Structures are given as C-alpha cells and as structure tokens.
Amino acid sequence: MARSSRLDDIPGLPARRAALRLLDAVLRRGEPLELALHGAAQGLAPADRALVHAIAAEALRHLPDLDALIDRATRQPLPGDAKARMVLRIALIQVLALGTAPHAAIATALPLVDGGPRKLVHGVFGTVTRAQPVLPDPPALPQEVVARWAEQWGEAMPEAAAQAFGARPPVDITLRDEGETALWAERLGGTSMAPGHVRLPEGTAIPDLPGFAEGAWWVQDIAASCPARLLGPGEGRVVLDLCAAPGGKTMQLAAAGWRVAAVDQSKKRLERLRENLERTGLSADIVQADLRQWQPGEQADAVLLDAPCSATGIYRRHPDVLHRIGPRQIAELAELQAALLDRAAEWVKPGGVIVYATCSLERAEGETQLAAFLGRRPDFAAVPAGTNELPEGVPPTPQGWVRTLPDTLEGRGGTDGFFVARLIRATTRV
C-alpha cells in the first residue's frame, strides 16, 4: 500500500493509471467510453480527467496502427489484453498523437506494468520511438469492421468510412425557430442545408456563441435531425418521443408545435433533457421509464422511436464503438429493437405515424429490421420521405427510407450514419 502511494506521487501517474483503467473497461469489459470515464477518473481534477479521456480516445482511434507498431517490435505477438500491450498503447499514443516527450511518457508508463515485463515494455517503446514513426492519416479501421461493412455496403464503403474517420466532424446546430435560419447562418458564420439547420465553422467554441445561453439553438448532427423532420408540424397533436434523452428530438418536436411526452430510462440523461428544455424555453412531459414495461395512458397521434442501437453510425466521435461492438452485440440489440417496435406500434392511433430511427451503420438495425416489422404488421405501410423534407444532399432511398452513410455529404463535412423510416398505421387492422 505504501509503495503504491509513493508511486502515485510521480507527477502525471494517477492520470495514466486512470487511462489504463478506462481503456481496460472499454476493450475488455465492453463499456462505452463516456460512461466508463466517470468511474475510471474518480477523484481527479478536471484537467486530469480531460487528459485521461484524450489518451484513451486517441488510443482507440488509432488502435490498429498502434498494435501494428508494437507487433513489428516484438519477436512474439503480445496477447491483445496483456497489460504490457495496454501500457504500450497508452505510452505510444501520448508521443505520437498528444505531443508528450518520450522520456515523460515512459516514466509514467513503466509503473503501470506493476510487476509485469518492464524490460519488454521499455525495449519495445524505445524501438518504436527511435524510428520516429508517424501514425497514418486516416487511421486504419479494425479489420473485422472493414469486413462487416464491406459485406453489407460494398468495398467502397469502408474506404469512405476511413476517410471520414480521419476528418474532424463538423458541428451542426438546430434552431428553435426555423424561420430565423438565414439570420443565424449569417450571425454565426455558418452554412445551412435545411430549414432550421446551421453548420458551424470547424473549431467553434459552442457555449460562447451568441444564442446558446438564450436557447435559440442546440447542437445536433444534421442526420439526427431527420427523424423529427419526417413528422412535420405538430399543430397541437400528441407525440411520444421514446428513448428521448438528451433531448434534441424532443426540442425539435416541441418547437414544431407537438405536445411531447419524452420517455427515457436514464435519470441522468433526463436531467440533461430537462436542462435543455429550460434553456430553450420549450416544454414536454418527462417520463422516466423502461419501455419494456411502460404503457402510455392512451394512444398518440405519432410515435418517434429512436431505438437503442450499436451506435456504429457515430464512430467518428465515439471510436470505442469500433472495438466493443461486434455481431453478438448487434444481434442482441436488433432483438431489443424488434420488441420495442412491436410495443410502440400499439401506442400509435389508427391513421397515425411512427418514425423508427437508429444511429447505426448496420442493416440488421435498419433495413432488415423494418422489413421484418412490416412482415409482422401488415396494418403498417411505409410513407416515403420526400426530398423537400430532408436536408440538401440527403436523398431518400428508393424504398423511401433515409440512410446516411460515410460518403453522405462528402466534401461538405459528412454526417453521422443513420437509418430513418416513417410508417403509417391503417385505420382498420388488416
């Protein structure tokens, strides 16, 4: 215990130890990076927490490239979950991506080996850094992800995904009043691809911008704005926004004149939704509930189900999904989505509309899911999305779905990967 305390006196070591815990939580236990950060960095100052996040996120972004460097410097490959490999990833990413001096990186790395092969770690680190390698741009995607996406979408898709992965994602905002689109585009120096949307210049500091504190707009990727766009003006009708937090779609719907019931299981995420509503001056009924047990008091005019999914469509901002999501997780999530769709279908009035959406690049969570649902429920039919309802450069598919891929809005900053479908319920059961 005393030895550990003395080690933790080494400047910067507690942050590196937390980064090791965080990387282990993501890669070995499959925890989402953002959720695991709180536990891994407990007790650290905000600046150290930010460093922990940066080390782990950059290591995950460049993981195949880091492992290739490590494997070329070892006679026998280290196991994927070996502590030596994990420590080397943390040490090398600091030097190659974060600008840390090699002597500082290795000084805070060796204590993390904790009884393991210190000489091996020191030797491999020295061999790699003396060669002064440069991480490839764009970063390599994991081979299993490349194979899965190529099978679903063709060989060109993973190439486009890699290019998108290497570019900094733009910041999109959604306006509370779409009638002020031109005004805010000019005021913020951005461009617009749809009513109520502005894409901001890269590197914009969000909280300092005009209109943020006043609630005139909120941050929301342009693809994420498409589900609510397909519901159109509310005119006082009732909509259930399922899996609603942190509230981008809730605010869209409220601003469009819907009476919104926003349902989510997470108390913490609902707190953010409530804060967002207060900032924007919009209102919704907030319900904390598990959709697998919850029932609304009556059927609604519309339902928006932004279903729990693999989140592979937001890999640009969350590189951890590339390493912790595989076929098993996708299949489990698709099963959950089917169950939620079946429940949500009963909550929309005859003649009402349901919009189903996932931020996923997997057909199992989009096209295949909807085909199976329509096979089970002949009383529902697709209502194709119109070009005039969607952002410029986001065309509907031949089936009328919305499907954004890594090459969508290519040359204009790209967008997240999304699947969106709009269905109408027949007035009588078929």
Side-chain angles (χ1 to χ4, degrees):
M1 189 71 176
R3 181 174 178 272
S4 176
S5 297
R6 287 197 304 272
L7 285 177
D8 282 342
D9 289 337
I10 298 173
L13 182 59
R16 274 68 175 189
R17 195 182 298 284
L20 181 63
R21 287 196 296 268
L22 182 53
L23 207 56
D24 182 70
V26 172
L27 295 176
R28 197 166 58 83
R29 299 201 297 274
E31 297 179 22
L33 178 68
E34 305 299 333
L35 293 180
L37 176 63
H38 177 72
Q42 193 105 34
L44 294 181
D48 286 334
R49 285 174 61 90
L51 176 60
V52 171
H53 184 274
I55 291 172
E58 286 302 305
L60 291 165
R61 186 173 297 278
H62 295 278
L63 205 67
D65 301 315
L66 291 172
D67 284 347
L69 292 172
I70 293 167
D71 290 341
R72 284 200 292 269
T74 54
R75 289 191 180 89
Q76 293 183 329
L78 295 167
D81 60 351
K83 181 172 280 191
R85 181 182 289 277
M86 299 284 263
V87 170
L88 280 164
R89 289 163 169 167
I90 286 172
L92 289 171
I93 199 63
Q94 292 176 73
V95 175
L96 300 178
L98 300 179
T100 305
H103 72 272
I106 194 63
T108 51
L110 290 177
L112 302 179
V113 180
D114 194 23
R118 289 171 63 105
K119 288 180 68 175
L120 172 66
V121 169
H122 197 282
V124 172
F125 179 84
T127 300
V128 173
T129 54
R130 280 193 298 272
Q132 297 184 324
V134 175
L135 291 171
D137 184 18
L141 299 174
Q143 279 304 307
E144 57 270 24
V145 175
V146 171
R148 189 174 76 236
W149 286 351
E151 182 182 359
Q152 294 181 74
W153 306 107
E155 297 292 335
M157 187 277 204
E159 295 176 15
Q163 290 297 324
F165 197 37
R168 188 173 180 177
V171 175
D172 292 320
I173 64 171
T174 298
L175 305 177
R176 185 178 57 200
D177 183 355
E178 69 174 34
E180 297 182 344
T181 302
L183 182 153
W184 283 107
E186 181 179 359
R187 193 172 179 192
L188 299 175
T191 58
S192 177
M193 288 177 272
H197 163 266
V198 177
R199 176 158 284 185
L200 302 179
E202 187 178 308
T204 303
I206 298 302
D208 301 332
L209 289 178
F212 177 78
E214 302 91 322
W217 50 264
W218 55 90
V219 175
Q220 183 180 36
D221 188 85
I222 194 168
S225 75
C226 290
R229 289 181 185 277
L230 294 190
L231 287 176
E235 299 170 339
R237 292 175 294 162
V238 175
V239 61
L240 304 179
D241 183 10
L242 308 179
C243 309
K249 299 175 186 70
T250 299
M251 291 183 286
Q252 273 184 284
L253 294 167
W258 290 89
R259 288 193 290 137
V260 188
V263 188
D264 200 280
Q265 188 173 358
S266 168
K267 180 180 179 181
K268 186 175 181 180
R269 283 166 59 84
L270 283 175
E271 288 171 3
R272 283 185 60 199
L273 186 150
R274 188 174 283 107
E275 290 168 3
N276 284 327
L277 288 172
E278 289 174 359
R279 181 175 61 84
T280 55
L282 297 167
S283 62
D285 293 328
I286 298 175
V287 180
Q288 182 187 352
D290 184 337
L291 294 176
R292 291 168 293 188
Q293 278 85 45
W294 182 76
Q295 290 276 2
E298 57 185 8
Q299 290 177 320
D301 299 291
V303 171
L304 196 167
L305 173 60
D306 186 3
C309 72
S310 64
T312 50
I314 56 174
Y315 73 99
R316 296 182 303 166
R317 294 179 174 86
H318 300 279
D320 55 301
V321 301
L322 297 175
H323 305 288
R324 60 179 182 79
I325 296 295
R328 178 176 62 82
Q329 290 85 357
I330 293 166
E332 289 172 355
L333 286 160
E335 189 175 331
L336 173 61
Q337 291 150 15
L340 295 181
L341 251 178
D342 286 342
R343 287 181 66 78
E346 298 300 330
W347 301 341
V348 63
K349 294 176 181 178
V353 171
I354 182 168
V355 169
Y356 168 81
T358 55
C359 57
S360 168
L361 287 167
E362 316 301 330
R363 286 185 181 274
E365 299 180 282
E367 292 83 351
T368 304
Q369 184 72 258
L370 256 292
F373 174 77
L374 291 173
R376 295 193 300 273
R377 295 297 300 261
D379 55 326
F380 280 84
V383 181
T387 304
N388 63 322
E389 298 176 283
L390 297 174
E392 179 185 324
V394 182
T397 68
Q399 298 86 359
W401 317 136
V402 180
R403 164 56 77 186
T404 57
L405 291 168
D407 62 354
T408 303
L409 297 177
E410 195 172 25
R412 303 176 69 177
T415 187
D416 289 344
F418 253 83
F419 175 84
V420 189
R422 177 174 56 190
L423 310 171
I424 189 168
R425 187 176 190 180
T427 51
T428 56
R429 186 73 186 254
V430 176

